[in-house]
Amino acid sequence: MEDHNTANLSEPASPAASVASAEIAAEFAALTVEEKEQRRAEWSQELARVEEEINTLRTVLASKTRHASDLKRKLGITVWKEVTDDVNQGLRNIKESTVYQRTESVLKSTGEKTASVFGSITSGISSKLSQMKNSESMRSIEASVGSAYENVKTKVTSRSGSVSSFPDALDENNTSSGLNSPTDSLTK
């Protein structure tokens, strides 16, 4: 284990650490063998003490975490509620941010302009359709189609040569062929 720790000490992470390591190595090299052993023993004792403190802190932290969980459970605070509260707080923070507010403003303005454009297009189309409906040519077509429909409706000649209404002619045709409804042909 000691070799592992000294291997980590001999590999500095930054240039400043390498300068400090070089100074420590030079200082350590100037010591006598007994002084080096004494330093190593002091450092080993200090390391053991620090590791013991770390383990104690981990134990205390685990105990405090369990106690906090028990208190939360007694208060009815679940993990789901905590996550929900965290998400809601995050959303509030986002909504309060200036970037969100500017984006919202731009989107609202764009939506209003788009609605205005579509409104003017719709009113333009409605106006044109109204003009077409009221035009002389549309009235003429409407009258022609209406009179043609009325002629067909009232003057349908049956096979016997009598004149009847269009619905009566359809009924007569269906009963003569044995059909009562359009779906009868599917069932027979």
Side-chain angles (χ1 to χ4, degrees):
M1 183 167 180
E2 190 174 325
D3 291 335
H4 177 67
N5 288 337
T6 54
N8 286 341
L9 292 176
S10 65
E11 297 175 11
S14 68
S18 66
V19 170
S21 294
E23 290 174 3
I24 291 171
E27 186 179 315
F28 192 72
L31 298 176
T32 64
V33 174
E34 294 85 27
E35 290 174 331
K36 287 179 184 180
E37 287 178 14
Q38 183 182 1
R39 283 276 169 92
R40 286 182 194 265
E42 288 172 4
W43 291 339
S44 293
Q45 288 175 354
E46 185 177 354
L47 177 61
R49 190 175 63 247
V50 168
E51 287 177 343
E52 185 178 326
E53 288 175 5
I54 290 170
N55 287 332
T56 302
L57 290 172
R58 284 186 180 142
T59 304
V60 169
L61 180 62
S63 172
K64 297 274 185 192
T65 303
R66 278 192 303 276
H67 184 64
S69 294
D70 289 342
L71 290 173
K72 286 178 182 178
R73 184 178 44 78
K74 289 176 182 177
L75 289 170
I77 300 172
T78 62
V79 173
W80 179 251
K81 179 160 177 26
E82 286 185 44
V83 169
T84 303
D85 289 346
D86 288 346
V87 168
N88 288 337
Q89 182 61 46
L91 289 175
R92 277 192 298 273
N93 291 346
I94 289 171
K95 286 182 179 179
E96 291 172 1
S97 73
T98 57
V99 172
Y100 177 84
Q101 290 173 354
R102 278 186 279 170
T103 303
E104 183 181 38
S105 172
V106 166
L107 290 175
K108 186 177 180 181
S109 172
T110 303
E112 289 169 354
K113 289 177 183 175
T114 303
S116 171
V117 167
F118 282 128
S120 65
I121 290 172
T122 304
S123 68
I125 291 172
S126 296
S127 172
K128 289 293 181 188
L129 288 175
S130 177
Q131 288 174 2
M132 283 176 52
K133 185 177 178 183
N134 293 330
S135 72
E136 233 6 82
S137 58
M138 184 59 92
R139 286 186 189 157
S140 172
I141 292 172
E142 206 173 61
S144 299
V145 169
S147 66
Y149 174 76
E150 288 299 320
N151 286 338
V152 169
K153 181 178 170 186
T154 56
K155 294 185 180 181
V156 173
T157 307
S158 68
R159 289 186 185 160
S160 64
S162 64
V163 177
S164 62
S165 70
F166 186 66
D168 291 341
L170 281 177
D171 287 341
E172 184 181 317
N173 186 37
N174 286 342
T175 53
S176 69
S177 65
L179 297 176
N180 293 328
S181 73
T183 57
D184 284 345
S185 66
L186 297 174
T187 57
K188 289 188 177 184

